[in-house]
Amino acid sequence: MSALAACSSSSSGSSAAATGSTSASTPASASAAATASGIKKGLVVYFIPKDTQNPYEVLADAGGSKALAELGGKVVVSSGTADTAAAQIPSIQAAIQAHANAIVIAGNDPSALCPSLQQAASAGISILSFDSDVTCGSSPNHLFINQANTETIGTSEVDILAKEIGDSGQIAILSAAASATNQNSWIVYMKQELKKYPNIKLVSTVYGNDDPATSLTVLQGLLSAYPNLKGIISPTTVGIQAAAQYLDTHKSLLKKLTLTGLGLPSQMKPYVEDGTVKEFELWNPSNLGYLAGYAAAALASGTASLTPGSTFTAGTLGKFTVLAPTTGVGPSVVLGPPFVFDKANIAQFNF
């Protein structure tokens, strides 16, 4: 199943965080009319991104809005402007007050959101995470919409960088928030993959908090602290763009330094075409949100469940199967493998 199948939307819904009552009222799905396929009409799904200003998150939320529009429901996008759990909790409470049918959240913290999400689940709201999982266990149990196999994301980024720097030298990781579940999971696999390259040394992991200014500051700190640095992996669209912008105006650094990671082709295209970045990876974030929207509708309608082997159809993306829990990850579905962008193909993509 292609992670790059066309799936776009012009609307990402409201981006204002809202607060509300914590009463455990009956969700709107109780009165929603069922369609012939079993998906109920009139579903309301709250998408709670890491923040409302990250371009990646905006694309993912727009994909969710497209999915629910196809199903006769709607998405409400609600979160804060900072990548913190505290900024997301009011949106969970707003979903409860609004009697939402489902919540789809990109966790800014693996566990701090769990009490609020449990409160939402007790109110009859289906809980899903996407992009960045939460580790709530069974309180509440939830479905993780994984953008790609976690291990593959981590190992492939190391392999790309190793190829470009000749399997030797000092490297660093420019991550997002220190508490971001997805980033930390990928970094675990990066470190495991680095064992295959004994001449590559990971000297530092720094955190830009998915903020361009902070990412630039920590990048400059890395370059100052490690003048012999040969490679940087930035598994965050904000971080890799900030690093690419800096290197693009300091081209002398490119004689010894290579950048890769996860980026949006629309943002990275000029840096690939002028040689600042040779290769990077990603999936289509609109498709991730689209898949999450269909999964949320299926769970809220009772046409899919958290039971491994349960299936549902996600519109133009086709059929998906719920995977059994693994270490650290509960029931999940996977969008597809990451795609490598380079000078030969990047002009083909506009997301």
Side-chain angles (χ1 to χ4, degrees):
M1 194 168 307
S2 172
L4 299 172
C7 175
S8 62
S9 174
S10 61
S11 173
S12 61
S14 170
S15 61
T19 58
S21 168
T22 60
S23 61
S25 303
T26 302
S29 60
S31 59
T35 66
S37 64
I39 299 297
K40 296 177 179 178
K41 290 282 189 179
L43 295 173
V44 176
V45 178
Y46 267 63
F47 268 60
I48 306 177
K50 288 182 176 180
D51 66 72
T52 57
Q53 298 178 333
N54 184 325
Y56 172 99
E57 301 280 337
V58 172
L59 287 170
D61 297 336
S65 294
K66 178 178 174 65
L68 266 296
E70 291 176 358
L71 295 169
K74 72 172 183 177
V75 160
V76 176
V77 179
S78 179
S79 191
T81 57
D83 281 22
T84 64
Q88 293 179 307
I89 289 173
S91 296
I92 300 173
Q93 299 301 326
I96 296 171
Q97 182 185 37
H99 308 162
N101 302 96
I103 288 173
V104 178
I105 190 165
N108 279 327
D109 186 278
S111 57
L113 297 165
C114 295
S116 295
L117 291 174
Q118 177 57 53
Q119 188 178 10
S122 296
I125 300 173
S126 297
I127 307 298
L128 303 88
S129 61
F130 77 146
D131 183 45
S132 185
D133 197 12
V134 291
T135 52
C136 298
S138 59
S139 299
N141 205 355
H142 67 281
L143 183 65
F144 176 39
I145 311 301
N146 198 353
Q147 50 267 57
N149 177 273
T150 301
E151 179 177 358
T152 300
I153 296 171
T155 58
S156 60
E157 290 180 75
V158 169
D159 292 339
I160 287 173
L161 186 60
K163 177 184 67 175
E164 294 186 10
I165 67 174
D167 296 351
S168 67
Q170 295 181 345
I171 70 167
I173 297 170
L174 169 55
S175 186
S179 60
T181 311
N182 58 344
Q183 301 281 313
N184 291 333
S185 298
W186 298 332
I187 290 170
V188 167
Y189 285 111
M190 288 182 199
K191 291 178 177 178
Q192 290 183 11
E193 188 72 359
L194 282 170
K195 294 176 183 178
K196 298 180 181 179
Y197 303 99
N199 294 323
I200 296 179
K201 181 180 180 183
L202 177 62
V203 295
S204 183
T205 299
V206 296
Y207 303 94
N209 297 327
D210 266 351
D211 174 73
T214 305
S215 297
L216 176 59
T217 297
V218 297
L219 169 68
Q220 291 172 322
L222 272 178
L223 298 176
S224 176
Y226 302 99
N228 296 319
L229 198 65
K230 287 185 67 176
I232 296 173
I233 299 173
S234 187
T236 157
T237 59
V238 175
I240 194 174
Q241 184 189 27
Q245 286 177 330
Y246 183 81
L247 294 178
D248 197 47
T249 58
H250 297 76
K251 290 191 181 294
S252 61
L253 291 170
L254 296 175
K255 296 177 182 178
K256 63 175 182 177
L257 185 63
T258 295
L259 171 67
T260 192
L262 302 177
L264 288 168
S266 60
Q267 294 178 337
M268 297 300 294
K269 181 179 178 181
Y271 309 115
V272 171
E273 292 184 338
D274 72 6
T276 300
V277 175
K278 294 183 178 66
E279 294 180 323
F280 68 96
E281 293 183 306
L282 200 65
W283 41 89
N284 188 332
S286 294
N287 284 358
L288 179 65
Y290 185 81
L291 171 58
Y294 266 89
L299 288 178
S301 301
T303 61
S305 72
L306 300 180
T307 304
S310 176
T311 62
F312 63 94
T313 299
T316 57
L317 294 179
K319 188 176 181 179
F320 287 82
T321 301
V322 175
L323 304 177
T326 59
T327 303
V329 179
S332 67
V333 296
V334 177
L335 175 62
F339 185 85
V340 178
F341 301 91
D342 58 23
K343 188 177 290 187
N345 63 35
I346 194 165
Q348 303 171 29
F349 305 98
N350 58 12
F351 60 86

